[in-house]
Amino acid sequence: MSKFLSFTAVALAATLSSFGALAKEVGKVGVDWLGNDIVIEAIADPKIAGVTCHVTYFERGIIDRLQKGNWFEDPSNNAISCSQTGPIVIGDIELRKSGEEVFQQRQSLIWKSVVVKRIYDKDNNTLIYLSHSRQVQDGSAKMAVSTVPLFGQDVTWKDGAP
């Protein structure tokens, strides 16, 4: 096998397996005869027990990849919905306005990823989850947001309330 084919096989395997330990596929909906699908994954916040986000993204089928000649890239489109799925226990989270990355998944070999960031809105006692596309160049405005209000909930802060 040539070095190029070896590299391509490894890169493709890395792209397909980059879904992370926290993501679990819970649904897949076919959208056309080309094999394109919308995938739904459940992502547990690694630092906040009791919060689960469901992220959707578009996965191109092999026929679509052959037709368009772009083997290693999926569209940036995504959506997110987060909710309380158990008692909320908040660990050591980042409290800056820029938040903290919770999850990342590649949408191409190098250039593009779908990212989920968590931001804590202290004034409104709410967790904000932002799903967006990160690209090396030509940044995308495709994003989605979901919130988990903590007001009135039984919330435990491991290190004390912020």
Side-chain angles (χ1 to χ4, degrees), residues 2-160:
S2 75
K3 287 183 182 181
F4 175 75
L5 288 176
S6 295
F7 170 76
T8 303
V10 169
L12 183 59
T15 300
L16 294 174
S17 67
S18 66
F19 298 115
L22 301 176
K24 177 183 179 191
E25 186 176 300
V26 296
K28 193 171 202 170
V29 178
V31 295
D32 61 24
W33 63 273
L34 297 175
N36 295 319
D37 296 317
I38 295 173
V39 179
I40 305 163
E41 291 184 338
I43 303 167
D45 188 320
K47 292 188 177 179
I48 301 181
V51 172
T52 302
C53 295
H54 290 89
V55 177
T56 63
Y57 60 89
F58 192 82
E59 185 176 74
R60 294 173 48 227
I62 189 138
I63 296 171
D64 191 47
R65 291 178 191 278
L66 285 169
Q67 253 185 353
K68 298 204 170 78
N70 187 346
W71 279 91
F72 303 110
E73 185 171 83
D74 282 322
S76 302
N77 303 359
N78 62 80
I80 188 168
S81 180
C82 303
S83 60
Q84 179 177 357
T85 54
I88 295 179
V89 180
I90 301 175
D92 182 23
I93 65 170
E94 183 58 58
L95 299 175
R96 295 180 312 201
K97 285 187 177 186
S98 60
E100 179 174 10
E101 192 170 292
V102 175
F103 175 76
Q104 174 187 331
Q105 174 186 317
R106 290 202 178 282
Q107 292 299 97
S108 73
L109 279 179
I110 302 170
W111 309 111
K112 183 172 35 174
S113 297
V114 169
V115 177
V116 174
K117 290 192 92 171
R118 174 195 344 95
I119 299 169
Y120 176 61
D121 176 357
K122 185 175 182 176
D123 293 343
N124 294 298
N125 200 22
T126 300
L127 297 169
I128 302 167
Y129 290 87
L130 170 68
S131 176
H132 67 95
S133 175
R134 180 175 23 209
Q135 296 178 191
V136 174
Q137 63 181 14
D138 298 327
S140 174
K142 296 173 183 175
M143 68 193 101
V145 68
S146 184
T147 61
V148 178
L150 301 178
F151 179 77
Q153 302 299 321
D154 184 19
V155 176
T156 303
W157 290 80
K158 282 187 175 179
D159 298 326

